[in-house]
Amino acid sequence: MPEIPTVLFVCVHNAGRSQMAAGYLRALGEDRVRVLSAGSEPADTLNPVAVAVMAEEGIDITASTPRPLTGELARQADVVITMGCGDACPVFPGKRYEDWELADPAGQEIDTVRAIRDDIKDRIAALLDELR
């Protein structure tokens, strides 16, 4: 049986982009992928607009909480996907890295956050195809 890959999503606050990506990958990847997320400067709570737009897709991310990025989390990952955390994201040899240029949903109107969500969904679908 092949090993299950681990994907780590990292953004600054771990309250919007990375949480939406993690929610999609958990939902669409089912038990074929292990999912982690973290932030270089984690917020206290999730972005409520991100929670709302994911609920529109039938994905509940309310149980998730922003958490700090640690070297241990990065070492657990096979794939590290960054979203605007820049130099704060550690780099470990042997890991696959991708940087997804996505607007930060913090403080944005719901239609803008929906567009970010839809972009993330497309990227997650492509990622799942690559991981298979």
Side-chain angles (χ1 to χ4, degrees), residues 56-131:
E56 293 174 354
E57 293 281 292
I59 299 173
D60 181 2
I61 63 171
T62 58
S64 300
T65 56
R67 63 196 260 190
L69 175 64
T70 64
E72 177 56 32
L73 278 177
R75 281 189 286 278
Q76 291 177 43
D78 300 298
V79 180
V80 179
I81 298 177
T82 59
M83 305 169 184
C85 63
D87 294 337
C89 295
V91 175
F92 291 91
K95 306 290 180 192
R96 173 181 161 188
Y97 285 87
E98 290 185 27
D99 184 47
W100 290 358
E101 291 188 26
L102 297 164
D104 188 346
Q108 301 293 331
E109 297 291 326
I110 194 164
D111 287 337
T112 301
V113 180
R114 283 185 184 119
I116 296 166
R117 174 203 64 198
D118 294 345
D119 187 2
I120 290 170
K121 184 178 183 180
D122 292 343
R123 291 170 189 251
I124 292 296
L127 177 65
L128 276 170
D129 287 343
E130 293 170 15
L131 292 175

Side-chain angles (χ1 to χ4, degrees), residues 24-69:
Y24 269 127
L25 189 56
R26 283 185 187 103
L28 301 175
E30 299 169 345
D31 59 354
R32 298 183 310 263
V33 182
R34 182 170 172 244
V35 182
L36 303 170
S37 72
S40 56
E41 298 174 25
D44 293 329
T45 60
L46 294 181
N47 178 331
V49 180
V51 171
V53 299
M54 291 303 287
E56 293 174 354
E57 293 281 292
I59 299 173
D60 181 2
I61 63 171
T62 58
S64 300
T65 56
R67 63 196 260 190
L69 175 64

